[in-house]
DNA sequence: ACGTGCGGGACGCCCCGTTCAT
DNA sequence: ATGAACGGGGCGTCCCGCACGT
């Protein structure tokens, strides 16, 4: 058989369907059918639709190259730039015309699916913490006028808005606006502050 | 009965349910029940769930005080600041714990509901155009290094990311990060460029 | 106003919708809309969908020229021939591509709509009685081997089968098969029997 | 439970409900309830109400003993007589007080349900072709004045009219009128023509 | 008396996420 | 591992009644 396991195929299909239709609109039947798996097989591998979404989300986050953010060989702010370069490149592939899966989930998922909600939050937190670490490293000695966590969130906010706009089909490639407009502005202000010492 | 008409009550309930649960997860039954209306009455007033969503969205956009953006009594960039002050204040009310309805829809709605998709896009476009007008007015004579539409989108992107994060329950009030971090940075860079003449 | 009354317009629309879609599949909304009448006006003129159907059916039957069957100026069997010639011509008009409304109702309507059921039966009975009278007149003195009512039913059966097949889109114009095959056979056998005296 | 499978039970119930109420008036809920099946199980076995109707119709046609029409041990016209004897006997059972299911569908179904419409047409065509073959065999050498296909349609028309009348509750058992009046007349005229050689 | 819009609830077909028997 | 049982719910539409307006 070409597929080593149905589980992997279902996760692939789940990511695709969640991305294409959103969490609520995607259905177990559509996912298993896209995975060429029998519908009944779903619950051999996942407790529920929610747990599938969590696995999909985790794997998606694992592909975001958070490792770039802890690559000690480069200056802290460059790590941030390189990281967002990577995720922007990923988003501009034609397999990702629906924006960032994580941003879409953050906007759609509610407390009615508590476990999933918590999963989304945790992944967000992991991301912001990695960025915060670099921001703190970028201005270690100076009297800083910025709060690293605030800036980290500001970056992620701008990035998420851009990817939300990708799904909303704004007039220009939105992720490029983020890369050419918001990201440089924010980071250059950090550099300015950091050299104020 | 205190309600002047069931239609208004259904729109109110629709906004609430869409906000609370998202577009796909909200149901006609829940909406009409929240409006104390019989389910069958829904289609006396709306052709479909999609058209209700469009009316809800339009009314929501009408409440965003776009008029502030064209108030000639104030300097252009101040109009932008005041406008976002207003929408941020609105978001921080406890009736809006779910983030910005427009941002949520932009992230959730797909092309499977074409009419709704187009409606979301149009409202986005109207918003960006209003901001663009002010950005152009802010730097009329100088050699500008910024593209007004890009900057407008950058602001909306950052705002949307912040409101998406509102639904995602980040640790701090996210809209305040936007107001205190991203918005001043972007606008002050415009001011700096504008005085370069 | 161009319409003398909405009632007449609704009956017209009802006949068209019942013919196009069948009794159960046709809806009040579709009928009133086709009549350019507001939905609420329906019940000013008709007690129910069933009573509309009865009025439609009655008017349809009134257009079948039963008077030909009692035209004393012609021989009895000629009356039958002429009558069926007329209804066949009516059916072959392009406004009647759906077969005979009466035959369609006879096949679709059940006892769940008792009043309508009875109306269909009565119209059928009126028709067969008119034909029976002519068959009895065609062989008044001879020892008849045929039961006039049976033969009348046989004619109507064949005619109905033909019109049912019209809706079923048989390969050839079915009503012509009836006129050229079944009708002559049955009538000529009556004539033969009648001359046995 | 005595039922070997719910699918078979649903087909049985579907035939009964379609027969009792007609295609449009019969509902999925009524069918599954009659089959003692949960409503949601329906779509495990059938894509839609239309496809159930097609299966029901096919099974109904398979029970019409078309094999009698190709039984080479008997003279061609006798095959026709025997075949109609069989279907008439079937119709006179008290489980078939609603007339012939195929005839009812032929009258009720419209192009709005295209697939079903086509299925009805195909079954009709199969039937008429089987009869045509016998009519052609009945007069192999003589100069025929009849078109076999026309006569086949005339027979089926008359039969359908009779069964339509069964649902319409005519005064006498209508199928017997067909057997004692139309069928002998038509066939004997064939026999007469065949001996004209 | 008729036009008119909406209240009203039941029901249409279809599909959901999940569990169970084989 | 699979196909089917299972019940609840999705959106849309049904036929009908009512209250108000003319």
């Amino acid at each position: 058989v070409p597929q080593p396991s149905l589980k992997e195929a279902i996760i692939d299909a789940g990511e695709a369907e969640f991305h294409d239709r959103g969490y609520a609109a995607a259905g177990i039947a559509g996912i298993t059918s896209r995975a060429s798996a029998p519908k009944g097989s779903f619950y051999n591998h996942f407790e529920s639709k929610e747990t599938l979404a969590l696995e999909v989300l985790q794997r998606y986050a694992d592909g975001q190259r958070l490792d770039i953010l802890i690559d000690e060989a480069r200056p802290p702010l460059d790590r941030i730039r390189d990281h967002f370069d990577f995720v922007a490149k990923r988003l501009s592939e034609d397999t990702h015309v629906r924006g960032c899966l994580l941003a879409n989930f953050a906007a759609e998922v509610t407390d009615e699916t508590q476990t999933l909600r918590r999963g989304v939050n945790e992944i967000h937190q992991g991301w912001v913490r990695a960025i915060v670490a670099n921001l703190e490293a970028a201005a270690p000695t100076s009297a800083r006028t910025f709060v690293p966590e605030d800036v980290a969130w500001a970056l992620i906010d701008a990035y998420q808005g851009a990817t939300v706009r990708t799904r909303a089909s704004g007039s220009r490639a939105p992720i490029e606006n983020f890369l050419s407009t918001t990201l440089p502005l924010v980071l250059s202000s950090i550099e300015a502050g950091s050299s104020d010492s």
Side-chain angles (χ1 to χ4, degrees), chain A:
Chain A
V1 286
Q3 278 295 348
S5 152
L6 279 185
K7 174 160 184 175
E8 218 46 44
I10 290 173
I11 295 182
D12 286 345
E15 177 172 342
E17 289 283 306
F18 287 144
H19 223 148
D20 282 357
R21 300 203 218 279
Y23 175 73
I28 306 289
I31 291 169
T32 49
S33 141
R34 188 161 184 157
S36 304
K39 198 173 84 159
S41 276
F42 183 89
Y43 290 88
N44 295 334
H45 303 289
F46 307 96
E47 279 186 2
S48 67
K49 184 182 176 183
E50 239 180 304
T51 52
L52 169 65
L54 283 170
E55 291 208 34
V56 164
L57 225 53
Q58 190 58 59
R59 213 191 52 175
Y60 185 86
D62 290 345
Q64 291 290 75
R65 299 290 309 275
L66 291 193
D67 59 291
I68 297 179
L69 290 172
I70 54 174
D71 171 8
E72 312 224 345
R74 303 187 57 69
L77 294 191
D78 282 5
R79 298 179 202 167
I80 293 175
R81 265 186 282 262
D82 290 352
H83 167 71
F84 276 110
D85 270 350
F86 171 79
V87 296
K89 202 162 293 166
R90 196 184 184 198
L91 269 185
S92 60
E93 296 167 9
D94 53 350
T95 52
H96 283 83
V97 287
R98 295 292 184 181
C100 171
L101 187 64
L102 181 55
N104 294 153
F105 269 63
E108 183 185 353
V109 167
T110 71
D111 292 338
E112 292 186 10
T113 51
Q114 271 205 31
T115 318
L116 181 54
R117 203 348 112 210
R118 269 198 278 267
V120 171
N121 290 351
E122 275 169 30
I123 291 176
H124 255 116
Q125 294 291 348
W127 194 9
V128 74
R129 268 194 289 268
I131 296 177
V132 163
N134 286 296
L135 292 172
E136 286 176 340
T141 60
S142 74
R144 285 169 269 147
T145 63
F146 68 90
V147 180
E149 178 151 348
D150 283 357
V151 179
W153 275 123
L155 288 174
I156 290 183
D157 286 350
Y159 163 76
Q160 283 196 340
T163 59
V164 163
R165 193 148 58 85
T166 294
R167 173 166 272 185
S169 314
S171 55
R172 237 193 82 179
I175 192 64
E176 309 207 344
N177 286 339
F178 168 73
L179 286 179
S180 67
T181 312
T182 313
L183 182 61
L185 267 174
V186 174
L187 293 189
S188 70
S189 88
I190 305 295
E191 284 166 336
S194 154
S195 61
D196 277 357
S197 59

